[in-house]
Amino acid sequence: MADRKATPIAKIYEALSAIADKRVTFPADQPGEALVVSSDHSKQYTVRFGDGFYSANDNATYWQHYAGYPIVAVLIEQHKIGLPAHSEKIVQAFAGVDWKALNTQYKNDYDKSTADFLSQADDPKPLKKLVRIIDDQLGALDFEVKGNRAQIRHPEQ
């Protein structure tokens, strides 16, 4: 297992929302960089990656030094974390979730935010299973997590 601080499970839920909403892009003119738009579409985070490291300018990564949801979303898009075959429908259950609003409502108690999200799902079991699969793969990856000081952008609405 990689020697780095574990990512809270709730951040994997947020990453799956970014995947479902197609909020991850890889600018052709910026190799080694990806952009991830926040769940409320008010911010755009920069994820940089290279030989053995990922860095991002979201608060979790920058201040807490774990792979925040933008890094997890990029790892999924890069297929370094694999989604099970036929999981597209499960991933779509994460679409359109405003995690910023949920986290604010629950005063950044991510477990409560996740519980609220799951309570609204028709069947939370496959969602939880997918998150566990991703968490296991994330824990097995060997990379260093860094914050970066890229300016947080505010994308057009």
Side-chain angles (χ1 to χ4, degrees), residues 22-142:
K22 301 184 182 340
R23 293 186 275 115
V24 181
T25 57
F26 294 86
D29 62 338
Q30 295 292 327
E33 195 167 289
L35 301 173
V36 181
V37 175
S38 63
S39 64
D40 67 357
H41 300 272
S42 69
K43 297 176 184 170
Q44 183 172 269
Y45 300 111
T46 301
V47 176
R48 294 182 176 141
F49 47 89
D51 191 23
F53 82 92
Y54 279 78
S55 73
N57 59 347
D58 63 294
N59 283 335
T61 304
Y62 190 82
W63 295 107
Q64 300 300 319
H65 310 293
Y66 59 74
Y69 84 87
I71 290 176
V72 177
V74 168
L75 288 165
I76 293 169
E77 286 291 337
Q78 290 177 320
H79 305 289
K80 292 186 178 183
I81 293 177
L83 298 177
H86 312 295
S87 61
E88 298 85 9
K89 186 176 179 183
I90 298 168
V91 171
Q92 282 310 303
F94 293 86
V97 179
D98 185 342
W99 289 102
K100 175 67 174 168
L102 275 176
N103 290 334
T104 299
Q105 177 183 345
Y106 292 108
K107 297 178 173 56
N108 291 331
D109 184 330
Y110 302 131
D111 291 338
K112 287 183 180 176
S113 299
T114 302
D116 184 312
F117 165 72
L118 289 170
S119 74
Q120 298 177 44
D122 292 335
D123 182 3
K125 288 179 187 165
L127 308 182
K128 291 168 140 179
K129 182 178 179 183
L130 178 59
V131 168
R132 279 194 307 275
I133 289 167
I134 292 168
D135 187 45
D136 288 346
Q137 290 181 60
L138 178 62
L141 290 175
D142 187 21

